[in-house]
Amino acid sequence: MECHCNSSLGHCPSAHWSRTVLFPEWAYKPAWSPGSRQVQLWHFLLELLGRGEGGAIAWGSEWGEFVIRDPERLAKLWGERKGKPHMNYDKLSRALRYYYKKRILHKTKGKRFTYKFNFSKLILVNYPSLPTCPQITAPVPFSMLSSHLSVNKPSVDMAVQSISHPLLLPYCIPKPLLFPQAHPIQRQFPLFSGPSHSGTNLSEFSCLSPVNPTIQFTQTFNHWPIKSSTGWPHNRIIESRQDRGKAMTKNACPETT
DNA sequence: ATCGGAACCG
DNA sequence: CGGTTCCGAT
């Protein structure tokens, strides 16, 4: 497997198993905690997308792509959140354009009001100096994994939900997580550690709370211990992962079948 | 519609 | 720093 490590990391551990993935700082903090800093626009967008608010903004066809269905309404919502009553799409879009240089977003050219999150870059941008290879393996929100492991439609929303509500959805560390094949997730999260050879050991996960990183537990899941704020049935995702075999393999890697 | 410079703000 | 406000150019 080639190394996807970005040079900005300054370090590329040879063991791909132990490569580290970190999420932006805000993802580890409850958004509502006292003294937490002001909400950022991309955070806000993910929040709306995660809620499936739908009217003003919704996910597009590609991973990370979103379409602003009602620009002025979105601007109004943003303005309300920030206490800027004169917010409009002209101004909001300027803020979005500042994200281009930061590599948080880019424009989907040709598609009106359509932008795309640069999820993996997001991680790098917010962690200019990533720690080098601690012993824990890739902390990835479980639901982010599950969005790739299961083909359920709302799974992408789940992934984002886990970012918006880190308290409710603890982060999961895939402990030897063996994908059936080189998995799409490795393309979308270049820093994700997962082997490219085949394997089926998908049931053992350990879980790390972003709120209290000392809390870690390993489990062979039949149940997800934390309740989702969306009320979305996590258990079903896990079950769908566990009834693996041919169906699982097919679902996980549709393009390779 | 989309872009990015420039000045400005908390 | 992360926008907000304004605006001329494409």
Side-chain angles (χ1 to χ4, degrees):
Chain A
M1 189 170 101
E2 84 268 41
C3 182
H4 298 289
C5 288
N6 195 303
S7 58
S8 64
L9 277 169
H11 176 69
C12 176
S14 53
H16 290 274
W17 280 98
S18 51
R19 223 184 287 149
T20 305
V21 175
L22 291 174
F23 284 83
E25 200 184 321
W26 59 260
Y28 294 84
K29 288 180 178 176
W32 56 87
S33 78
S36 70
R37 64 169 161 302
Q38 267 219 98
V39 64
Q40 276 166 248
L41 178 55
W42 58 288
H43 189 173
F44 177 74
L45 296 178
L46 288 174
E47 191 185 307
L48 292 184
L49 288 163
R51 275 216 300 266
E53 195 269 347
I57 186 172
W59 288 116
S61 50
E62 283 180 57
W63 171 256
E65 189 182 278
F66 62 91
V67 183
I68 300 169
R69 309 192 99 95
D70 189 338
E72 290 308 327
R73 193 169 135 204
L74 177 68
K76 198 175 177 183
L77 290 169
W78 174 232
E80 279 164 18
R81 176 64 70 90
K82 285 290 289 288
K84 297 281 176 184
H86 303 301
M87 181 53 59
N88 59 19
Y89 180 66
D90 181 51
K91 295 168 188 168
L92 187 149
S93 63
R94 184 68 190 92
L96 292 179
R97 270 175 255 129
Y98 273 125
Y99 284 154
Y100 299 169
K101 200 179 295 191
K102 294 179 181 175
R103 312 216 59 194
I104 289 172
L105 282 186
H106 62 81
K107 188 77 184 63
T108 306
K109 284 161 196 162
K111 292 188 192 174
R112 220 159 145 250
F113 304 123
T114 303
Y115 302 78
K116 192 169 166 179
F117 277 103
N118 220 329
F119 282 129
S120 55
K121 291 296 194 309
L122 210 60
I123 293 156
L124 296 180
V125 164
N126 288 277
Y127 280 88
S129 58
L130 276 169
T132 52
C133 199
Q135 46 177 250
I136 43 171
T137 48
V140 170
F142 168 74
S143 51
M144 215 169 249
L145 285 178
S146 67
S147 74
H148 293 269
L149 293 171
S150 99
V151 285
N152 293 352
K153 186 68 177 164
S155 53
V156 172
D157 290 354
M158 283 277 303
V160 174
Q161 191 70 38
S162 78
I163 295 177
S164 317
H165 302 283
L167 268 179
L168 300 171
L169 294 172
Y171 284 52
C172 273
I173 305 165
K175 242 197 151 172
L177 176 69
L178 305 181
F179 289 120
Q181 306 219 2
H183 201 272
I185 198 172
Q186 288 167 329
R187 260 161 274 145
Q188 271 133 10
F189 299 91
L191 292 173
F192 179 75
S193 71
S196 51
H197 58 84
S198 60
T200 50
N201 180 17
L202 287 162
S203 57
E204 205 186 272
F205 279 73
S206 74
C207 191
L208 183 75
S209 166
V211 187
N212 185 348
T214 60
I215 298 174
Q216 187 182 349
F217 53 96
T218 310
Q219 204 178 333
T220 303
F221 287 112
N222 293 313
H223 297 285
W224 188 244
I226 307 293
K227 222 174 179 180
S228 159
S229 62
T230 51
W232 224 76
H234 292 200
N235 291 351
R236 273 199 45 226
I237 295 178
I238 289 147
E239 279 157 23
S240 76
R241 191 184 67 241
Q242 282 183 341
D243 77 286
R244 52 175 175 275
K246 281 160 193 111
M248 159 66 208
T249 308
K250 203 173 97 193
N251 288 349
C253 302
E255 74 273 49
T256 59
T257 49

